[in-house]
Amino acid sequence: MTTSQVTPAYRDNIIQFPQQTPSYLRQWRNKLINQIDETMHEAEEQNIHVSTQTYNNIKDLVASLPDTLLFLPSVGLESDGGLLLEWYKPSVSPRIFSVIVKDNTTVYALLKEDGVLGNNGVASFSQETKELIVNIYLKKHFIRDTTHGYHSIAR
């Protein structure tokens, strides 16, 4: 299935923003979605098959990201058809957090400033995995804490 067959249906049915969502929030999400679509076109050009499940799961992860995200991830393509989101936090103690989604598998890793691997894991793509990524990894380094508590991801 090509990107042109998947993208419109996904956008029409999944990525919905409430009327009260500020335009700047819609803009960063739309920018990220457009980068994923561009990556899908690159995959087609390179004859790398990215499954519909991979495409839909990475978009689902993007839709789950909280509005208080401080840094946008870069989007990448893995040679096996996985899609990558990678956050980089430039600071006194830089951090890199990577998430690769391939079909129903999610691989995640946190790299610390000295290059030593922080935490990593492999899990099935699920609501619990999305919550782990947001509440444990992204919240600590890449999300503005406006609640003094953990963010919950609405389904």
Side-chain angles (χ1 to χ4, degrees):
M1 184 171 280
T2 66
T3 305
S4 61
Q5 292 170 316
V6 176
T7 304
Y10 191 85
R11 278 210 179 124
D12 294 342
N13 297 322
I14 305 296
I15 305 296
Q16 297 291 328
F17 296 102
Q19 201 63 278
Q20 69 274 16
T21 302
S23 63
Y24 68 90
L25 295 178
R26 289 193 302 268
Q27 289 172 0
W28 78 254
R29 288 183 198 275
N30 287 336
K31 179 179 178 181
L32 196 50
I33 290 165
N34 288 337
Q35 289 174 358
I36 292 169
D37 289 342
E38 289 171 13
T39 302
M40 291 293 290
H41 289 295
E42 290 173 20
E44 288 177 6
E45 291 172 358
Q46 297 175 28
N47 285 330
I48 297 174
H49 175 73
V50 177
S51 72
T52 303
Q53 183 178 24
T54 298
Y55 180 78
N56 289 338
N57 284 345
I58 202 81
K59 294 254 189 147
D60 187 26
L61 180 58
V62 168
S64 298
L65 296 174
D67 295 337
T68 52
L69 193 66
L70 292 173
F71 302 96
L72 281 182
S74 58
V75 178
L77 174 65
E78 298 289 305
S79 61
D80 65 354
L83 292 174
L84 165 76
L85 295 179
E86 189 166 79
W87 285 263
Y88 175 70
K89 179 182 178 184
S91 66
V92 176
S93 57
R95 301 278 192 265
I96 298 173
F97 182 67
S98 299
V99 176
I100 299 170
V101 176
K102 170 104 169 62
D103 298 322
N104 197 39
T105 302
T106 308
V107 178
Y108 55 91
L110 176 65
L111 297 171
K112 297 182 180 179
E113 63 195 85
D114 56 6
V116 173
L117 192 63
N119 299 59
N120 62 69
V122 178
S124 293
F125 188 85
S126 65
Q127 181 69 18
E128 293 76 25
T129 303
K130 291 186 293 183
E131 289 177 355
L132 172 77
I133 289 168
V134 172
N135 291 332
I136 303 300
Y137 297 102
L138 292 178
K139 182 180 184 302
K140 185 171 182 182
H141 304 286
F142 302 98
I143 297 174
R144 181 181 302 122
D145 184 4
T146 59
T147 62
H148 297 84
Y150 290 108
H151 292 276
S152 177
I153 299 173
R155 286 193 131 208

